[in-house]
Amino acid sequence: CSDRLLRTARAVAHVDAFLSLATVAVREGYIRPELTEDDTLIIRDGRHPVVEKLLDGSIRYVPNDTHFDTDSRVHIITGPNMSGKSTYIRQVAIITLMAQIGSFVPADEATIGLVDRIFARIGAQDEIHAGQSTFMVEMVETARLLSGSTRRSLLILDEVGRGTSTYDGLAIARAVIEYIHNNPRLDCRTLFATHYHELTELPNILPRSSNYNVAVTERGEDV
């Protein structure tokens, strides 16, 4: 009897999860992504599913495209504070995750090459209880990311190197990008948001890296 109840509960739980995904897909106008076995990742007019719901009616969420293929592996993203760099890289990770759990996604079109894992290095916080400074936490997480990734992985990194002095931070950020790009075990799809504009020179020496910049438009007192 207990086994039958457990099987029934699991079946109801699955139906509930699928129904929730279907309901939000219809309500928010999500589309069915195409999943492939290669390592491309192409999104047209993608949106962050949470942020777009938190905006009031007077503000429109600005969708963005993403295009990874064999010739484009590391995207270096620059732009001013509060321009949406962090939201954008999170958006790509969430859309990828949603596609791989069988959900429709918030975009106009999406082709998602299978990802074996998603690594994120986002945020600045210390762990006083563990005796680790903000910089130490950042370096430990970055090391874990670099050692655990494969060519199939998706990496999102937000302002790596900001936890220390400018020149040291710039050197660390550049070394991380070069390692991801040049290591044959990696060369994985990477979104790297940064305020170090010196890094925009890297596509001149790293052929599979590209520069992207968040455009900002002033509208009265707002941007």
Side-chain angles (χ1 to χ4, degrees), residues 41-94:
L41 199 162
I42 302 170
I43 300 170
R44 183 167 63 83
D45 284 342
R47 313 184 304 276
H48 194 296
V50 177
V51 174
E52 72 169 347
K53 293 301 295 179
L54 296 177
L55 299 176
D56 60 45
S58 62
I59 303 175
R60 182 179 69 90
Y61 187 90
V62 179
N64 286 280
D65 296 347
T66 305
H67 191 285
F68 285 100
D69 56 29
T70 55
D71 297 322
S72 177
R73 309 303 292 169
V74 180
H75 294 183
I76 302 169
I77 305 165
T78 55
N81 286 319
M82 297 188 68
S83 60
K85 300 188 300 298
S86 299
T87 301
Y88 169 69
I89 64 177
R90 287 179 170 98
Q91 158 193 310
V92 175
I94 291 174

Side-chain angles (χ1 to χ4, degrees), residues 142-160:
T142 301
R144 187 180 300 125
L145 175 152
L146 294 176
S147 63
S149 302
T150 71
R151 185 177 174 83
R152 281 283 191 181
S153 302
L154 172 65
L155 311 184
I156 60 172
L157 301 100
D158 192 13
E159 297 187 41
V160 167

